[in-house]
Amino acid sequence: MNFLGAVGRTARNALRTAEGSEDDKLVAQLLARVADKEQVEDRKEALTQLCETVSRSEQAQLALGSSGFLQLCAIVQYEQADTEMVQGSLEALVLSMARRPRTKGQNPAAINAELFARAHGNVQLVMGLLKAGQQMQNPHIRLHAVRLLAAIAGTGTPRLSEAILTSPQGVATLMDLLNDTEAIRNEALLLMTALATTSSEIQKNAASEGAFQRLFGIVRDEGGADGGIVVQDCMQLLNNLLQDHQGNQLLFREMGYLQSLPAFLKLQGTHAISKQTAANLSCGMLTLHWLIADKKVTSMDTNDLFVAPLLQAGCFEALQMLALPFGGGSPARLRAQALGCLADLVKMSTAAHEKLMSAKVVASRSGAQTMLLHAVLRAALYSDDKDEQHAALALLTAFCQKHAEGQEALAATLLPTTSNPQPGAPRTFGEELMLAWSGRSTTLQVVGRAASISTILLRSSAASKQRFLNLTFQNQVQPDQGSSQAPSVLLMQLCITWLAQTVNAQLAGVRAAPEAPFQLLHMLITWLLDCPPAAMLLASMQGAMSTLTTMARIRVQGKSDLLGEMIAVCLGQCMVATSSQAAPSGGSEMIDLLAEKVGIASYLELVSNLTQRCARSSAISAESPKKEDSSQQASVGEMFMASTGPEFQAAVGRICQQVQEVIIAAFQEPRPNLSVQDMDETGLRQQFTALERQLQQLQRRSHALLLEATSKANIPAAALADSSSQSQHARNHSSDTTQLPVSSKPQADAFRELMQQTAGISNSSRLLSQSIPCLMMLKPPQVGPAPRPDHHGMLSSMPDARVPQLEARAASMERRTAVAEAENSSLQQQLQSLQAQHLALQQRSVSEQTQLKDQLHRSEEKARQAQTSAQQSQTELQALSNAYSDLEAHAFSLEGQLKGTDRSQDRSVEEHIAAAVASMEQEAEETQNDLMVCIGEEQQKVERLSERLQHMGVDVDKLLCEVGDE
C-alpha cells in the first residue's frame, strides 16, 4: 500500500508540473496576443481568455505576476481611452491576487500582491483612477480599481498602507468613495476595514476625514441594527478605527457618537432576532468593549469619559434586554457577549453596580418579572452554552469584587433548608443556589457550577464564610441513592460527598463534568483560607479526612496531578489549623494520618508541585487552546488553575509554605527517653504508647532527612521511596533512591544517629514484648470479693482481659519494629550508595582540578611564548623605525637638491624668454617700419590718380565711397 501511495503521489506531482508548465506557456501566449496592437479584437479576446485562465489556475496566477504586471499596468496608464481594455486589465490584476483556500505550499495571491505593491508607481496609478477629477470616468473602472486595492489589502502586505499614506490625499480619496455608488461604497468599506488593521496612521487620518459621521450615516440609511450585511461592515470598520487608538476613542466621544451606541443596541419590539441582526448587535457590543474595557493608558478616567455617558443614554437597559429577554430568547453567543459588557460596566462604575442590584427582567412571556441577579444565577447554573455560563460567572464576580456590601447581601439570602421548595414557586437568589446543591435534578455539572458561585461569595468575606458554616440541607437527595431521604447535613459534608462522586465519575471515564472536582476543591480552599473554624470543622468531620487522603493518592495511581495537589492543600489547611495552640496534638495526628495513607514524601511532593504550578500559571492565559488527547483531565486542570487568578495562586503558595513549616516543626520535636523499669500494668501501657509515638516520629524524621538531602541536591522528591507507607505506590519508587548524591557530611552523621536510634527502639520493643507474659505471671493474687460470673457464665476479670490486648499490641509493635529495621537497612544501603557517589564526585573533582592545572600550565607556556614573540616584534619594529628615519633624512636631502636644481633652471628659462621677446619686438618694429613705407607710397599713388581724375571731370569722393562700401 505504501508503494502504491508513493507511485500515486509521484504521478500526481508530475501531472501538476506538466499542467503548470502548460499554464505558463498559455499565459505567455495570451500576453503576446494582448501586446499586439494591430489586432484590436484579438487583443480583447486574449484578455478575456487570460482572465478565465488566471481564475482557474494558481500556476497561471504566479505566471501572470512574474511577467504580466508591467504590460497590464501600461495598458491602464496609456490606453485609458479604451475603457474595455482598461477594465479587462484591472479585472485580470484582481484575479491574480484573489485568495484561494490552501492547506500548504505558497500563496500566489500574497506573492503577487507583494510584487505589485513593491513598485510604488503601480499603487499611485490605481489611486489616480479614483481621484475626484475622474468622477466622470466609467464607474466600472473605479469599481475594479477599488477591488484591486481591496484584494491587495486582504493579503496583509504593509506596502499598500505606506503607498497610500505617501500618495497626495490618499486616505481622503478612499473616504470619498463612501459617498459613491452602492457597489463602490461596499467595496470601499471592505478596503478601509482591511487597511485600518495594518496602520495606526490610516486609523487617525480616516477618523479626521469624517469616518464616524459617514459610517453612522450609512448605518442609519440601512436601517440600524436590523439592516443587512452593510451595517455589519460599517461596525467592523468602526471597531478597527477605535481598537487600541486612544485618540480616536476620545474623538468619537467628543463628536457625540457615544450616545448613539445604546440606541443602536436597543431592541425594537419582541420579534425574534435574525442571524444578521445578531451579527450587527455583536459588532456594536464589541465597540463598547473597545471603549470601556480596553484602556492601556491608566491616566484616562474611563468612568467619567465613557461609562457615565453610556449609562445616562440607557446602555445598561439595552444590554439587559439583550442578555436575558424572556428568560433567554436571544442567541447564546449574543447573550454571552451582553453579559460580558454588563460585567465591564459593573467593574468600572458604582452606578452600574447599583443598577444591577435593583434591576428586574421579564422571565417569561406571561410578563412575570424576576431580579436580574437571579436570572444571571440561573444562566450561570443551567446554561448549555459555555460562553454564556462563563460570562454570567464574570458578571457575578464583578458584582462581588470590590463591593463587600453586595457580596454580603447575596450571602445573606442563603438560609438552611427545611423542606423542598414547591415546583414553580418564586425563589430568591439563595434558595436557587441551595437548590442547585441538593435538588432532585442536580447533576455533577450543576454542582460544580454551584461551587464556583459559592467561591465568589466566599472570597475575602469572613462573614460569608461564617454563614456557610451553618448551612444545612434537610431531606437531601443523596447522589448515589436515588430519591431516598437523608437527615440534615452540613454544606461542608455535602461538598465532601459530591467531591467523592465527581472523582469516582472521573475514574469511571465519565467526562460530563471534567471541571467539577476542581471547582469543588477551589471552593473548599477558598472557604478554609483564613477561617480556622471551617478547617477545624473539616478536620473533625467523621470520615472526611480518610476520604480526602484516599483521593489524594489518585495522583500516585497516574491520574490527574492537580487533583491530588489541591486535596493536599485542603489537608494542609486542616493541619495548620489543628496545629495551633488550642489543639497542639491535632497536627501530629494529621501528620501520622498522612504518613499512613499517603506518605510524607509523596505529600510534600504534591505541595511542592502545586507551588511550582501556581508560579507557572501566572503567565498562562486562561484562553489557551485545549489539547485533545488522553490527558484531557490534566489539560482541563491546567486551564482551570490558570483561570483562578493571581490572588488565589498567591494564597495557595502561602498555605504550602505554612504546611512545610508545620511538618518541619513536627520532625524537630524532642524524643522522650524510654525505659522498661516499671513493670506494672500502668507503666507498661505508658511505655508501650511512648514507644509507638517514638517509632512514628522516627519514620517521619527519616523521610525528612531524605527530603532535605534531595532538596539540597536539586533532585525531585518523586525519586524518594515512601518507606512509611505500606501501599503499592511506595514500591514503585524504591528503585530510584539509590541515585541520590550525598549533599553534606552532617546529613551522613544524622543518618547514622537515626540508625542507632532505630536499633535502640528495636531492643526496647523486644524487651517490652518479653516482659508482658512475665508481668502477667508475676501479678499478685486479687484481694477482695470473688469475681462474679457474667451473663455467659464466665468470670469478668479486667486484668486478665487486657492480656490478649497487650499481646496483640506487642505483636503489632514487633511488626512495626520489623518495618523500622527494614527502613534502617534501606537507609543504610542508601547511605552507602550516597557515600560511594560522594567518593566518585570527589574523584571527579580531583581529575577536573588536574585538568585545570594542565590547562593553566599550557596557558602560561603560551603566554611566555607570546611575550617572547612580542619582544622580537618590538626589536624588529625598532629597527624598522631607525631605517625609516634614515630614509626620511635621505629624502629631505634629495628634496633640497631638487629645489636648488629647479631654481637654476628657472633662471635660465627666464633669460631665454627675455631674449626671445626682445628679438620678436625688434622684428615687429622692423615690419611696422616697412609697412609704413608701403602705406606712404600707396598714398602718393592715390593722390596722383585723384588729381588726374579731377582733371578728367570724375567725382573722386563719390568713387572712393563706392570703393569703401565694396
Side-chain angles (χ1 to χ4, degrees), residues 776 779 797-804:
M776 296 300 106
K779 188 171 182 62
S797 178
M798 295 301 296
D800 293 340
R802 290 193 182 97
V803 171

PDB file of all heavy atoms in Angstrom, residues 776 779 797-804:
ATOM      1  N   MET A 776       2.300 -10.742  83.587  1.00  0.00           N
ATOM      2  CA  MET A 776       1.028 -11.399  83.864  1.00  0.00           C
ATOM      3  C   MET A 776       1.204 -12.580  84.827  1.00  0.00           C
ATOM      4  O   MET A 776       0.341 -12.877  85.647  1.00  0.00           O
ATOM      5  CB  MET A 776       0.414 -11.884  82.556  1.00  0.00           C
ATOM      6  CG  MET A 776       0.051 -10.756  81.580  1.00  0.00           C
ATOM      7  SD  MET A 776      -1.139  -9.580  82.259  1.00  0.00           S
ATOM      8  CE  MET A 776      -0.060  -8.169  82.578  1.00  0.00           C
ATOM      9  N   LYS A 779       1.886 -11.387  88.544  1.00  0.00           N
ATOM     10  CA  LYS A 779       0.880 -10.480  89.084  1.00  0.00           C
ATOM     11  C   LYS A 779       0.377 -11.056  90.406  1.00  0.00           C
ATOM     12  O   LYS A 779       0.020 -12.233  90.488  1.00  0.00           O
ATOM     13  CB  LYS A 779      -0.265 -10.306  88.111  1.00  0.00           C
ATOM     14  CG  LYS A 779      -1.241  -9.228  88.554  1.00  0.00           C
ATOM     15  CD  LYS A 779      -2.217  -8.953  87.451  1.00  0.00           C
ATOM     16  CE  LYS A 779      -3.160  -7.846  87.856  1.00  0.00           C
ATOM     17  NZ  LYS A 779      -2.463  -6.600  88.100  1.00  0.00           N
ATOM     18  N   SER A 797     -12.778 -10.624  84.577  1.00  0.00           N
ATOM     19  CA  SER A 797     -11.508 -10.192  85.183  1.00  0.00           C
ATOM     20  C   SER A 797     -10.856  -9.185  84.257  1.00  0.00           C
ATOM     21  O   SER A 797     -10.401  -9.537  83.179  1.00  0.00           O
ATOM     22  CB  SER A 797     -10.594 -11.407  85.400  1.00  0.00           C
ATOM     23  OG  SER A 797      -9.368 -10.974  85.948  1.00  0.00           O
ATOM     24  N   MET A 798     -10.801  -7.963  84.663  1.00  0.00           N
ATOM     25  CA  MET A 798     -10.268  -6.901  83.817  1.00  0.00           C
ATOM     26  C   MET A 798      -8.786  -7.080  83.516  1.00  0.00           C
ATOM     27  O   MET A 798      -8.377  -6.992  82.358  1.00  0.00           O
ATOM     28  CB  MET A 798     -10.520  -5.540  84.477  1.00  0.00           C
ATOM     29  CG  MET A 798     -12.002  -5.189  84.581  1.00  0.00           C
ATOM     30  SD  MET A 798     -12.813  -5.156  82.971  1.00  0.00           S
ATOM     31  CE  MET A 798     -11.917  -3.825  82.236  1.00  0.00           C
ATOM     32  N   PRO A 799      -7.912  -7.411  84.512  1.00  0.00           N
ATOM     33  CA  PRO A 799      -6.511  -7.594  84.149  1.00  0.00           C
ATOM     34  C   PRO A 799      -6.316  -8.735  83.197  1.00  0.00           C
ATOM     35  O   PRO A 799      -5.551  -8.644  82.254  1.00  0.00           O
ATOM     36  CB  PRO A 799      -5.821  -7.828  85.494  1.00  0.00           C
ATOM     37  CG  PRO A 799      -6.699  -7.178  86.504  1.00  0.00           C
ATOM     38  CD  PRO A 799      -8.092  -7.417  85.994  1.00  0.00           C
ATOM     39  N   ASP A 800      -7.046  -9.865  83.440  1.00  0.00           N
ATOM     40  CA  ASP A 800      -6.891 -10.983  82.533  1.00  0.00           C
ATOM     41  C   ASP A 800      -7.426 -10.656  81.147  1.00  0.00           C
ATOM     42  O   ASP A 800      -6.926 -11.170  80.150  1.00  0.00           O
ATOM     43  CB  ASP A 800      -7.631 -12.209  83.099  1.00  0.00           C
ATOM     44  CG  ASP A 800      -6.954 -12.706  84.383  1.00  0.00           C
ATOM     45  OD1 ASP A 800      -5.763 -12.352  84.573  1.00  0.00           O
ATOM     46  OD2 ASP A 800      -7.625 -13.394  85.170  1.00  0.00           O
ATOM     47  N   ALA A 801      -8.446  -9.816  81.083  1.00  0.00           N
ATOM     48  CA  ALA A 801      -8.988  -9.452  79.764  1.00  0.00           C
ATOM     49  C   ALA A 801      -8.038  -8.577  78.982  1.00  0.00           C
ATOM     50  O   ALA A 801      -8.085  -8.540  77.747  1.00  0.00           O
ATOM     51  CB  ALA A 801     -10.331  -8.746  79.945  1.00  0.00           C
ATOM     52  N   ARG A 802      -7.146  -7.852  79.660  1.00  0.00           N
ATOM     53  CA  ARG A 802      -6.218  -6.973  78.947  1.00  0.00           C
ATOM     54  C   ARG A 802      -5.016  -7.719  78.389  1.00  0.00           C
ATOM     55  O   ARG A 802      -4.268  -7.189  77.572  1.00  0.00           O
ATOM     56  CB  ARG A 802      -5.697  -5.863  79.879  1.00  0.00           C
ATOM     57  CG  ARG A 802      -6.748  -4.829  80.252  1.00  0.00           C
ATOM     58  CD  ARG A 802      -6.092  -3.613  80.886  1.00  0.00           C
ATOM     59  NE  ARG A 802      -7.077  -2.642  81.277  1.00  0.00           N
ATOM     60  CZ  ARG A 802      -7.563  -2.532  82.514  1.00  0.00           C
ATOM     61  NH1 ARG A 802      -7.140  -3.366  83.458  1.00  0.00           N
ATOM     62  NH2 ARG A 802      -8.453  -1.607  82.806  1.00  0.00           N
ATOM     63  N   VAL A 803      -4.799  -8.926  78.843  1.00  0.00           N
ATOM     64  CA  VAL A 803      -3.618  -9.664  78.388  1.00  0.00           C
ATOM     65  C   VAL A 803      -3.649  -9.887  76.880  1.00  0.00           C
ATOM     66  O   VAL A 803      -2.666  -9.599  76.171  1.00  0.00           O
ATOM     67  CB  VAL A 803      -3.504 -10.998  79.147  1.00  0.00           C
ATOM     68  CG1 VAL A 803      -2.409 -11.868  78.522  1.00  0.00           C
ATOM     69  CG2 VAL A 803      -3.197 -10.735  80.611  1.00  0.00           C
ATOM     70  N   PRO A 804      -4.779 -10.397  76.307  1.00  0.00           N
ATOM     71  CA  PRO A 804      -4.778 -10.539  74.842  1.00  0.00           C
ATOM     72  C   PRO A 804      -4.559  -9.222  74.112  1.00  0.00           C
ATOM     73  O   PRO A 804      -3.902  -9.155  73.077  1.00  0.00           O
ATOM     74  CB  PRO A 804      -6.155 -11.147  74.551  1.00  0.00           C
ATOM     75  CG  PRO A 804      -6.576 -11.772  75.837  1.00  0.00           C
ATOM     76  CD  PRO A 804      -6.009 -10.924  76.922  1.00  0.00           C
TER      77      PRO A 804
END
